[in-house]
Every structure is written in structure tokens, then in C-alpha cells.
Amino acid sequence: MQASGPNASAEFTTFMRAYQDMVFSTAARLAGNDAQAEDIAQDVFVKAYENFSHLRQSPAAGGWLKTVATNLCLNYLTRHRKRWRLFSELAADSDDGQSAGPEPEFEVPDTLLAALSDQERRLIIDDALRQLPDHQRMPLVLYHFEDFSYQEIAAQLHASLPKIKTDIRRARAALLAMLEPRDIQP
């Protein structure tokens, strides 16, 4: 049940003001990014608004908010890490011990784009992704940006698991070849 009416709205505003610093500081410590912490705090209070009938008189409301903030941060960090760790598996062999694509000639740090803002990184990656062939771009995007497992991608694209792994590996190698010449410096 949601809060409704002018009294409930004013009561929720008072509730939110009482806890906003705690929620934001929890999110900022975990996310390490104030802009992301603001987004997470907003999501926490949306959930609080949806559950306000239970939270309004609860002595455990602060703990509930802190738990929701922590869980949302952990979800964000898990997705964010997976999303930008495109090259971490590039040098690994496939399950059958065969190399699935060309090996890079240098060590590939997952920090290749770390010096850039999220927006800059997103623009560069989006541009590079558009240059990949469909059979490589689709599984790579599903894996890194949509959180699909290899098995889910294979089922969705009606392809074998080894083909999906190979296509993702080749897509990573192709992306690396596109991104490395940019000579991105911190």
C-alpha cells in the first residue's frame, strides 16, 4: 500500500528528510560515486514510498532503509563490474582447452577505459559495439549489459554454447582492437 493524500505526502516528506543523509552516505560509501549514490538513494525512497504504510510507525525503518540501500548498491556494483570488465576473460581458454580467438599481444587491463567518465565510456563502447557484426555484438551485449548467462544467450539466440562463448570472445578481441588505438590516457 502506498502513501496517499496530503497528510501522507507531508508525513513521507518528513520521513524522507529524517533518513536522507543516512541513505545517501550508505550509498556513497558503497558506490564510491556521488551521482550514482543519488540515483540509488532515490530508488531507496521510491521503495520506501511504496512500503510507507508499514514503515511510517516502524522502529526498524532506518535499518530497512539501510538494508535496501546496501542491496541496491551491491546490485549496481555487480552489474557495473560485469558491464565494464569486457576483457578479463580474453586470454582464457575455452572449456575444451582450445583458444577461441586471437590472443592479445599485450596484457589487457580491465582498466583500459577506467580514466573516463561513465558517459564517455558509454559513448566509446556504444560506438565500438555498432561496428561489430550482429553475431558477435548480440551475445556480448546480452552477457555484459543485460546480465544473461551463456546458457540463456544460447537458448535465446538458438545457438550452441561453444558458439556463444566463441562469439563473445571474438567480440571482446575485436573491441580491444578498436579501443586500443585510441590511446586513452588518464
Side-chain angles (χ1 to χ4, degrees), residues 82-99:
K82 183 177 178 184
R83 181 167 290 154
W84 300 119
R85 291 184 62 90
L86 295 168
F87 307 117
S88 62
E89 299 171 12
L90 191 59
D93 287 339
S94 63
D95 289 343
D96 61 4
Q98 298 289 322
S99 178

Side-chain angles (χ1 to χ4, degrees), residues 99-115:
S99 178
E103 293 297 322
E105 295 179 14
F106 53 91
E107 188 173 330
V108 182
D110 270 321
T111 58
L112 180 67
L113 303 174

